Amino acid sequence: MSASGETQRGNSKANDVRLSNIVAAKSVADAIRTSLGPRGMDKMIQRGDGEVLITNDGATILSELQVFHPTAQMLVQLSKSQDIEAGDGTTGICVIAGALLQACSELLSKGIHPTMIAEAFKLSAKKAEQILTSVAKPIDLADREGVLDAVNTCLSSKVVHHHSDVLAPISVDAVLSVIDPLTATNVDLNDVKIVKQVGGTMDDTELVKGLVLERSAKGGGGGPIKVPNAKVALIQFCLSAPKTDMENNVVVSDYAAMDRILREERKYILNQCKKIKKWGCNVLLIQKSILRDAYNDLSLHFLAKLDIMVVTDIERNDVDFICRTLNIQPIAHIDHFSPDKMGMAG
């Protein structure tokens, strides 16, 4: 009796673990089930910082959830993988997984061994792949209208589906402009940048085949705001007077010494600006700095006098995209300035 009792407890515990995993995964699938398809409902999500997000995209919803159960986390990762690989179907793939798990729980309740169910799923996956391959239609990327129809289908279930006539052509043209339609099998979406600006409507969205910076040129001090045949450089050093370490202070009690410090600062910044001009640079991009001022009014004044257009506060995350787009290299020190690190823009 004791042996059978122990065996019974062991089976019961294993069944409880399986049931717990199935329930956890199904709860994630049920959370986004109602947002599936063109008639799916949008979800309103409040983030920790108070920002409110409205979406019906499965990957977006699941990425905002704080999921701790390992099996439920697998469904979140499944949705992310689908988003990276295909860019669509993130909700449907989780709903299908939840439905399959529901079928599993019914089979388990009938006493079918989990190994048999797993083997059956493997056979079903192979058969499903054959069926999908047989009915699939290959898309020719050179056929813009065919690609446009596929994108319109994807947008039909999104919040912005009312503006698909504007967004779909922009999306297709953006992707086709960064790949070779004849040979490409995938696209690196890091080559396409989305710049958001406050104000305007969805109809104001446009595609720019080039580089769009979030900030405009610094026009103060009479500097140029438009430069033809630009020679562009991206610097990561600061065009301002050097400072001491955070723990140190410089105390100046003499007016003559203070005047001498100001003259040296002016001379130091002017020399930097002259070196930049010497290499023929007429458009300067300055990366944002957190240690000290990346620029000051004096450096902007000198650059304006030298007819150099200045765009400031370039984010570190944007440096790689700017360098790839303009075919330039970031310059970390004034002594590293050279023509081969600069790029041309028409």
Side-chain angles (χ1 to χ4, degrees):
M1 291 295 292
S2 62
S4 61
E6 290 173 3
T7 305
Q8 184 63 31
R9 279 201 303 274
N11 291 337
S12 176
K13 186 174 182 180
N15 291 333
D16 289 344
V17 170
R18 293 192 195 100
L19 185 61
S20 170
N21 291 337
I22 291 173
V23 169
K26 277 177 57 185
S27 63
V28 173
D30 291 339
I32 61 173
R33 185 188 301 277
T34 53
S35 63
L36 178 65
R39 295 180 178 273
M41 294 181 289
D42 299 337
K43 305 292 186 192
M44 181 181 289
I45 304 168
Q46 185 173 12
R47 292 175 171 165
D49 57 359
E51 182 182 355
V52 176
L53 181 69
I54 300 176
T55 181
N56 65 356
D57 179 59
T60 306
I61 296 170
L62 292 179
S63 65
E64 297 295 334
L65 294 179
Q66 292 184 348
V67 181
F68 300 103
H69 196 284
T71 310
Q73 285 179 349
M74 288 179 65
L75 248 66
V76 176
Q77 295 300 324
L78 176 69
S79 179
K80 288 181 179 178
S81 300
Q82 176 73 6
D83 188 36
I84 294 170
E85 189 62 32
D88 194 37
T90 51
T91 305
I93 198 168
C94 289
V95 172
I96 291 173
L100 292 175
L101 287 171
Q102 173 65 34
C104 283
S105 64
E106 295 174 0
L107 294 173
L108 287 171
S109 64
K110 293 179 181 179
I112 300 176
H113 198 275
T115 306
M116 297 293 293
I117 299 174
E119 291 294 330
F121 271 135
K122 290 179 183 178
L123 294 173
S124 302
K126 291 180 181 178
K127 187 63 177 178
E129 188 176 354
Q130 293 174 3
I131 295 172
L132 290 174
T133 306
S134 65
V135 300
K137 294 181 180 179
I139 293 180
D140 182 11
L141 292 178
D143 179 16
R144 184 176 178 276
E145 292 302 320
V147 178
L148 204 56
D149 290 340
V151 174
N152 278 319
T153 303
C154 295
L155 289 176
S156 64
S157 62
K158 299 293 184 283
V159 179
V160 294
H161 69 277
H162 295 298
H163 304 278
S164 59
D165 56 333
V166 176
L167 298 179
I170 290 176
S171 305
V172 172
D173 293 338
V175 170
L176 292 179
S177 62
V178 297
I179 63 171
D180 182 4
L182 299 177
T183 59
T185 58
N186 208 337
V187 60
D188 184 3
L189 292 179
N190 291 323
D191 292 336
V192 180
K193 184 183 177 186
I194 300 174
V195 179
K196 303 175 185 177
Q197 293 292 343
V198 179
T201 63
M202 196 73 73
D203 294 328
D204 296 328
T205 307
E206 61 177 314
L207 173 65
V208 177
K209 294 186 178 180
L211 179 65
V212 176
L213 300 172
E214 296 186 18
R215 293 180 178 271
S216 58
K218 287 282 185 180
I225 57 173
K226 188 175 182 179
V227 177
N229 300 321
K231 203 167 184 180
V232 188
L234 172 63
I235 63 171
Q236 294 179 310
F237 57 88
C238 299
L239 285 177
S240 59
K243 292 184 178 180
T244 61
D245 294 334
M246 296 179 68
E247 293 82 10
N248 299 330
N249 291 313
V250 176
V251 180
V252 181
S253 56
D254 184 8
Y255 284 112
M258 185 175 293
D259 187 51
R260 190 164 65 250
I261 288 175
L262 293 175
R263 283 202 311 269
E264 288 297 325
E265 286 184 359
R266 185 184 180 91
K267 182 179 177 182
Y268 175 83
I269 295 172
L270 181 59
N271 286 336
Q272 282 189 318
C273 295
K274 284 182 175 179
K275 287 181 180 179
I276 293 172
K277 182 65 175 178
K278 183 181 74 171
W279 290 110
C281 172
N282 55 9
V283 175
L284 188 66
L285 310 179
I286 304 177
Q287 181 179 319
K288 183 184 290 186
S289 174
I290 58 173
L291 297 177
R292 61 188 175 101
D293 295 335
Y295 61 94
N296 56 20
D297 292 339
L298 192 59
S299 60
L300 293 178
H301 170 74
F302 287 142
L303 291 170
K305 293 297 182 185
L306 295 170
D307 286 330
I308 298 175
M309 189 176 87
V310 182
V311 180
T312 60
D313 295 334
I314 302 295
E315 295 288 348
R316 178 180 288 273
N317 298 334
D318 297 334
V319 169
D320 181 59
F321 180 80
I322 292 172
C323 290
R324 284 188 287 113
T325 304
L326 298 177
N327 193 25
I328 62 177
Q329 298 179 35
I331 302 170
H333 194 272
I334 187 66
D335 294 334
H336 299 161
F337 234 98
S338 61
D340 61 306
K341 293 186 177 181
M342 292 187 284
M344 301 294 293

